[in-house]
Amino acid sequence: MNILDQDIKFLPGVGPNRKKMLSNELGIETYGDLLEYYPYKYVDRSKVYTIHELTGDMPYVQVVGHILSFETFAMGPRKERVVAHFTDGTAICDLTWFNGGKYAKQTYRIGTRYVVFGKPTVFNNRINFTHPDLDDASKVDLSSMGLQPYYNTTEKMKKTGLNSRAVERLTKTLVEKLPPLPETLPDFIIASRHLMGRDEAFRTVHYPQNAKDLERARVRLKFEELFYVQLNILRYASDHRRKYRGYVFSHVGEVFNTFYRDHLPFPLTGAQKRVIREIRVDVGSGRQMNRLLQGDVGSGKTLVALMSMLIAIDNGYQACIMAPTEILAEQHLQTIMQFLDGMDLRVALLTGIVKGKRREEVLEGLLDGTIHILVGTHAVIEDTVQFARLGFVVVDEQHRFGVAQRAKLWSKSENPPHVLVMTATPIPRTLAMTLYGDLDVSVIDELPPGRKPVRTTHVFDSRMTTLYDGIRQQIHEGRQVYIVFPLIEESEKSDLKNLEDGFEVLRQAFPEFRLSKVHGRMKPKDKEDEMQRFVSGETQILVATTVIEVGVNVPNASVMVILDAQRFGLSQLHQLRGRVGRGADQSFCVLVTPLKLSEETRKRIDIMCDTNDGFRIAEADLKLRGPGDLEGTQQSGMAFDLKIADIARDGQLVQMARDEAQKIIDDDPDCQSPKYAILWYRLRQLRKTNINWAAIS
């Protein structure tokens, strides 16, 4: 058995109770898990200070000296504070224990030389260390102390004595006990990328002598983690391309050309033309297309998707577009029917509310091939829905569908249909390379002509009267306004303005205007009615929660007010802002917050006011929040399990790892060459324990 698979309870110092705590709190079950539980920070233990040099605002430091005496102070029933007076000959300081004082008095001896390590503060005009670490100076080689690792632990662990220092001792025991670890990367990668060996990297990352060694160890471990993720993705994509033949759309015919000539509502942008060409090459190549189409709200993705579906129809196939909500599906249906008005094509809707005879007609039309384009929600993937010849599938806002749901679409066809995945949530390149590594990526990076960028401003909630005046002026000019609340009803733990109370406040503030109200707990019919009142212009203000984040298209709406904007993530703020600016008029987005904001929130608000570029916003969001929090990474079944690498901050390493992995797949697509045996063996080991990162499309 591999020693790293050994049960953690057999490590000296652990045992059954600590094993249970490590397992429940940190997920540490084996020697390997503990080895991969990396320190979150390091403190330099090579320098020794004198007590005379210390001030209360210094970070963790160490001094060497001896205890002069102990003093005990009562702190209520059965509680005491124990203070040791300590000197190094330059001055006297205090070592204080609020818990464990009895243990300190029994363990530490007056007159013995100790190395004291802790955070200095000032109490009663004297330097004080609370709950410091003490080591017998005769047993410590200060010249070899290097950087001391610190490990995250939970409150529960600390109560049982399993603090950072205890975890460090266990790690030290493990590192000393381990035989040299076998290498998992071939020599040629280690040499060409100047990487540290695996065994040395593991030992150094826990006990580095200096910052340079630590950095080299971290680069090696991060590279390996990212390399195997990329190798798995690229191996999967390569297998998939060879295994699945795609339908060949050999020509662009009358349907496409008629639409392009007579029905195109406005000239295509250069970016739209480029993406259609990329799709055209894919669908004519004989391999199944899996393409991710990224583009900001309003960039014209739906038109590109429709024109791609028309190529499928020209070649005798049906097409389908799947949206995450009924509102968005109906929006797509209306848009597509407007585009195709006057053309002899049958477009149908299939959502949960399409029932009875109407549903029967849709199912029959799909089966006999008379329906050319189906627009629907996840109702499309139900077993009862069968197509005559499904050749092209568009999945919109795909992060809202699980992997298994998307895979079900494949069973609707003899060969897997071509798949175009669309998202208005811009995905940073490093994240796309990992999360959607098996998809080819197209980007629409320009807005249609005539669109003006939305002007974004930040307003404190003490200035609401001025804001109301601005809203009034816009409505008098014939525009409409969204006002978004973060909550539906009051939460005990929250001081958020809730929508119900807020709606009443707004009705009183704007007695001369009509208001609609939409939130997630309304019945679909009521929600739809309220939305329609706003779309038709019957109401001037739509008060809503984030249900309007996706898919509401009202070109006349020119103002988006987001209350308690500090409660939203960057991507969500960007999505909400995308609801305005859809007409030719100048549009505005107003972010309303309280005066007191955290540093991180202030950064988010500033980024929103500075740029309309979705990719810059997504990059910033990734850096601020980390990949696991980004909308999409959790829902897609691809929760990140990286132990040391960070997709946001290690972009260069992601690219380097992908380049190396691509070379190997190109050289050995069957994964059989003895030259790479070490890699295929390691990948099989990892695949047994980890999620299959690549099963995405």
Side-chain angles (χ1 to χ4, degrees), residues 237-389:
S238 167
D239 280 0
H240 181 88
R241 287 193 183 109
R242 286 178 306 144
K243 196 183 295 179
Y244 294 108
R245 305 302 299 156
Y247 294 120
V248 179
F249 297 170
S250 58
H251 65 285
V252 172
E254 192 184 332
V255 174
F256 182 96
N257 288 324
T258 302
F259 177 80
Y260 190 78
R261 190 179 59 243
D262 303 332
H263 295 265
L264 202 61
F266 41 76
L268 295 176
T269 63
Q272 285 174 312
K273 286 178 182 171
R274 183 186 69 241
V275 172
I276 291 170
R277 274 197 301 274
E278 288 167 353
I279 291 168
R280 173 83 188 87
V281 169
D282 279 357
V283 297
S285 69
R287 68 179 181 86
Q288 188 232 353
M289 179 181 84
N290 274 306
R291 189 167 281 280
L292 173 68
L293 174 57
Q294 298 189 66
D296 254 339
V297 172
S299 61
K301 294 185 300 297
T302 308
L303 184 57
V304 167
L306 173 61
M307 293 176 77
S308 307
M309 291 192 280
L310 297 182
I311 297 173
I313 293 165
D314 267 332
N315 286 272
Y317 292 92
Q318 293 161 294
C320 158
I321 181 163
M322 190 161 83
T325 64
E326 288 180 356
I327 286 181
L328 188 50
E330 288 176 22
Q331 191 91 46
H332 277 315
L333 180 77
Q334 286 168 10
T335 305
I336 288 169
M337 297 205 31
Q338 279 168 7
F339 281 148
L340 298 177
D341 188 29
M343 290 184 71
D344 188 20
L345 291 176
R346 189 174 168 201
V347 184
L349 177 73
L350 189 65
T351 66
I353 55 173
V354 178
K355 291 190 168 70
K357 190 166 185 311
R358 197 170 147 216
R359 189 181 185 84
E360 293 287 307
E361 285 171 3
V362 171
L363 296 180
E364 280 170 25
L366 292 172
L367 208 47
D368 64 22
T370 55
I371 290 177
H372 300 96
I373 296 174
L374 179 69
V375 182
T377 55
H378 56 272
V380 167
I381 58 179
E382 289 169 10
D383 294 337
T384 52
V385 182
Q386 295 297 327
F387 293 78
R389 287 187 92 195

Side-chain angles (χ1 to χ4, degrees), residues 295-299 424-426 444-447 451-457 558 560 562 570-571 573-582 586-591 604-620:
D296 254 339
V297 172
S299 61
T425 307
I444 300 182
D445 48 11
E446 55 183 305
L447 289 176
R451 289 272 172 95
K452 292 177 182 158
V454 178
R455 202 174 291 160
T456 306
T457 52
S558 67
M560 166 65 68
I562 304 171
L570 266 174
S571 291
L573 289 172
H574 183 60
Q575 284 275 332
L576 286 166
R577 175 168 64 184
R579 296 298 112 214
V580 294
R582 301 173 84 85
Q586 178 63 59
S587 289
F588 304 89
C589 176
V590 185
L591 307 175
R604 278 211 308 274
I605 301 291
D606 288 348
I607 289 162
M608 285 297 296
C609 294
D610 287 348
T611 182
N612 281 290
D613 182 336
F615 287 95
R616 265 188 65 197
I617 287 164
E619 289 284 357

